[in-house]
Amino acid sequence: MARAAVIAWALLLVLPAHPQESKAAPTPPPGGGICDPDPGVRLKALESVSDLELLRTTARTDTDPAVRSAAVRRIKADGLLAQLATDDSPSDVQNQAVGQLEDPSLLLQVARTAPREQVRVAAVLKLKEPAVREFLTSESWVLRKAAVDRLEDQAMLESIALGDSDPFIREEAASRLANEDLLVRIATN
């Protein structure tokens, strides 16, 4: 449909209704340049696009990363951002969608369900307690580390520093402890 609008607009430029009429360029339809082969034209066209479906499609399928990024930036609907973060969109789109996502419940959903671990980690790093606690028992050490990075509960950090099976996670938890006496005790064990 967008391609037909672009063709109709181009014909208006070439074939005026009356030969006496001026050849002033008509205003292109919204999103009219979105199908242009030139990424610069597509970027400019995105400035006037407000149709969420067109923005979603562009974010998922455009061949140019800058155009995909511009499309995601124009999306303000958290539900659509969460969908982009968890579907088969390119990884740059998924990561940017998580970066823009603000709703804690949707961030939690993304952290639980995104197919790419890096997207799940990005979502966990935006969560706060107590939501991050469920990722402390993840089989993925990367998700556990992200959860430890967001954890503020000193007693829980102490428990992880003393008992996590992964030395890297124990070290990360210990580095977040505020109690120096406890740090010395952990270091001597």
Side-chain angles (χ1 to χ4, degrees):
M1 178 160 166
R3 186 176 296 275
V6 171
I7 292 170
W9 180 70
L11 287 174
L12 287 174
L13 288 174
V14 178
L15 303 171
H18 301 308
Q20 299 85 6
E21 286 184 8
S22 162
K23 286 198 175 198
T27 305
I34 206 72
C35 296
D36 195 281
D38 181 349
V41 172
R42 294 194 308 274
L43 277 170
K44 186 72 177 160
L46 277 174
E47 292 174 7
S48 64
V49 173
S50 59
D51 180 289
L52 288 177
E53 185 57 32
L54 182 56
L55 289 170
R56 182 184 74 80
T57 301
T58 302
R60 292 185 71 224
T61 63
D62 197 277
T63 57
D64 188 270
V67 175
R68 289 194 305 264
S69 177
V72 175
R73 270 194 311 274
R74 298 222 7 109
I75 297 171
K76 304 300 181 210
D78 272 0
L80 183 53
L81 290 169
Q83 181 185 7
L84 285 171
T86 56
D87 67 12
D88 61 347
S89 295
S91 62
D92 60 324
V93 169
Q94 291 179 329
N95 288 326
Q96 186 178 353
V98 169
Q100 288 178 216
L101 195 55
E102 297 296 329
D103 183 316
S105 64
L106 291 174
L107 280 165
L108 185 57
Q109 174 189 338
V110 169
R112 289 174 177 158
T113 64
R116 290 187 175 103
E117 185 175 62
Q118 69 181 18
V119 175
R120 292 193 310 273
V121 167
V124 169
L125 288 171
K126 289 189 74 175
L127 291 171
K128 295 181 180 172
E129 282 192 65
V132 296
R133 291 181 182 192
E134 80 176 68
F135 299 98
L136 293 171
T137 57
S138 171
E139 290 183 17
S140 165
W141 72 268
V142 179
L143 282 172
R144 284 200 325 273
K145 181 191 178 306
V148 167
D149 285 346
R150 299 297 293 158
L151 198 59
E152 295 178 16
D153 182 318
Q154 292 290 300
M156 192 163 280
L157 284 168
E158 177 184 346
S159 174
I160 294 167
L162 292 170
D164 195 272
S165 62
D166 188 310
F168 183 68
I169 301 298
R170 288 194 308 267
E171 182 179 322
E172 183 66 30
S175 75
R176 308 251 359 248
L177 289 170
N179 183 333
E180 290 186 26
D181 292 334
L182 179 60
L183 286 171
V184 170
R185 196 174 66 199
I186 290 171
T188 58
N189 283 343

